[in-house]
């Protein structure tokens, strides 16, 4: 991916003051080639925003699939997280989970929609995350279905506390989720224990499908790391953003 067209990226940094979190939160915003404020764009919201840009190379990937692979031009909003409190914000048992999800839906979304020409229908917003970022993206969709109906989950950390919440949902026919997990993720050591992410993903897929969700599910050789997820990002984005 050395073509200079892919490397000419427009990325803007924004900062919002969150009353729910009681602190400022940085947003990194990618604007597509040919960006025009008079047009409107789908938008992808990424948990672990800094990692999506630095390790996932999502801006370069976005340029490539827009310029060469028929993706509709879209905006990306990467939401930064402090890794020292990441589990507290992303896991449903975390002490900052309620504050974070409220900040995301009630502060970040309105801020972005006021400042950028993003489309405002749930079908034009995509939530994306890896590991706990994948599971919190799904939680956000369940908490705010009027805002989010599309989720990208890469090796989602679907712990039992999350699965219990998903299982309590009755009808998820409005939800579309793209899921992938690496086959070498059977004994991943997280800060809360050692988990078989393959089995957690399979169980979550089954929970969602039984409740009517549209699930695109894949298992491939890969570990719980960006080297795996970066290669899968183009397919994940094109799943929701392919024109026609």
């Amino acid at each position: 991916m050395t073509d200079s067209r892919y490397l000419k990226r427009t990325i803007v940094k924004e900062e919002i003051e969150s009353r729910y979190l009681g602190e400022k939160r940085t947003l990194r915003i990618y604007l597509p080639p040919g960006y025009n404020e008079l047009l409107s764009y789908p938008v992808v919201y990424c948990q672990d925003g800094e990692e999506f840009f630095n390790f996932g190379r999502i801006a370069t990937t976005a340029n490539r699939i827009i310029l060469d692979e028929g993706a509709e031009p879209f905006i990306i909003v990467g939401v930064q997280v402090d890794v020292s409190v990441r589990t507290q914000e992303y896991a449903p048992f975390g002490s900052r989970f309620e504050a974070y999800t409220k900040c995301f839906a009630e502060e970040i979304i309105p801020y972005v929609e006021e400042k950028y020409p993003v489309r405002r229908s749930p079908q034009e917003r995509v939530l994306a995350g890896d590991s706990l970022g994948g599971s919190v993206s799904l939680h956000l969709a369940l908490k705010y279905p009027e805002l989010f109906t599309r989720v990208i989950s890469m090796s989602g950390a679907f712990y039992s506390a999350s699965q219990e919440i998903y299982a309590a949902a009755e009808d998820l026919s409005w939800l579309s989720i793209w899921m992938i997990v690496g086959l070498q993720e059977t004994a991943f050591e997280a800060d809360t224990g050692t988990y078989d992410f393959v089995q957690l993903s399979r169980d979550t897929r089954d929970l969602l499908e039984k409740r009517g969700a549209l699930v695109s599910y894949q298992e491939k050789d890969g570990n719980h790391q960006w080297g795996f997820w970066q290669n899968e990002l183009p397919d994940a984005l094109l799943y929701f953003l392919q024109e026609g």
Side-chain angles (χ1 to χ4, degrees):
M1 236 191 275
T2 56
D3 190 318
S4 62
R5 296 175 306 142
Y6 308 150
L7 301 176
K8 290 179 182 175
R9 300 155 302 175
T10 302
I11 300 170
V12 181
K13 280 195 176 181
E14 301 276 5
E15 197 172 65
I16 70 161
E17 187 79 49
S18 171
R19 62 186 178 90
Y20 289 116
L21 292 171
E23 64 185 35
K24 292 180 180 178
R25 188 57 54 107
T26 300
L27 309 177
R28 191 177 294 198
I29 297 172
Y30 157 89
L31 305 175
Y35 174 72
N36 185 337
E37 291 183 352
L38 298 178
L39 301 177
S40 65
Y41 299 91
V43 56
V44 177
Y45 290 93
C46 301
Q47 319 296 334
D48 294 297
E50 198 132 334
E51 291 201 352
F52 262 87
F53 279 95
N54 292 342
F55 304 137
R57 301 186 68 199
I58 192 170
T60 305
T61 293
N63 273 4
R64 180 169 63 81
I65 66 173
I66 290 168
L67 292 169
D68 292 349
E69 296 189 31
E72 182 175 11
F74 59 97
I75 287 173
I76 301 167
V77 179
V79 182
Q80 192 169 319
V81 67
D82 178 347
V83 293
S84 69
V85 295
R86 182 175 180 270
T87 298
Q88 297 306 316
E89 291 187 353
Y90 286 3
F93 49 78
S95 60
R96 294 165 61 94
F97 177 77
E98 289 300 324
Y100 176 73
T101 51
K102 284 181 178 178
C103 166
F104 201 102
E106 299 175 32
E107 294 176 326
I108 292 172
I109 300 298
Y111 177 88
V112 171
E113 293 187 347
E114 185 177 327
K115 198 156 185 182
Y116 294 91
V118 295
R119 297 179 194 155
R120 303 187 178 197
S121 72
Q123 293 76 26
E124 303 281 5
R125 299 186 190 102
V126 179
L127 293 168
D130 63 280
S131 196
L132 270 175
S135 58
V136 76
S137 293
L138 183 51
H139 283 297
L140 277 162
L142 266 61
K143 285 167 72 74
Y144 298 94
E146 72 280 8
L147 295 179
F148 310 112
T149 61
R150 295 180 158 194
V151 174
I152 291 170
S153 172
M154 299 185 294
S155 306
F158 300 118
Y159 303 149
S160 58
S162 290
Q163 291 193 22
E164 288 169 14
I165 293 170
Y166 309 149
E170 294 183 3
D171 177 16
L172 295 178
S173 58
W174 50 269
L175 175 69
S176 179
I177 182 169
W178 185 98
M179 302 172 66
I180 196 164
V181 66
L183 287 167
Q184 283 68 50
E185 298 184 60
T186 53
F188 180 74
E189 293 183 14
D191 57 351
T192 54
T194 301
Y195 299 94
D196 182 344
F197 273 68
V198 177
Q199 193 59 53
L200 291 176
S201 292
R202 291 172 181 171
D203 293 345
T204 300
R205 172 200 59 193
D206 294 346
L207 278 173
L208 299 177
E209 287 185 335
K210 285 176 183 174
R211 286 152 183 81
L214 177 62
V215 181
S216 173
Y217 180 85
Q218 297 178 69
E219 296 175 359
K220 291 185 178 181
D221 283 329
N223 290 298
H224 197 82
Q225 58 192 27
W226 273 108
F228 172 49
W229 302 324
Q230 183 192 116
N231 290 331
E232 303 305 323
L233 255 184
D235 286 347
L237 294 167
L238 284 167
Y239 182 77
F240 289 117
L241 296 159
Q242 185 95 40
E243 282 193 307

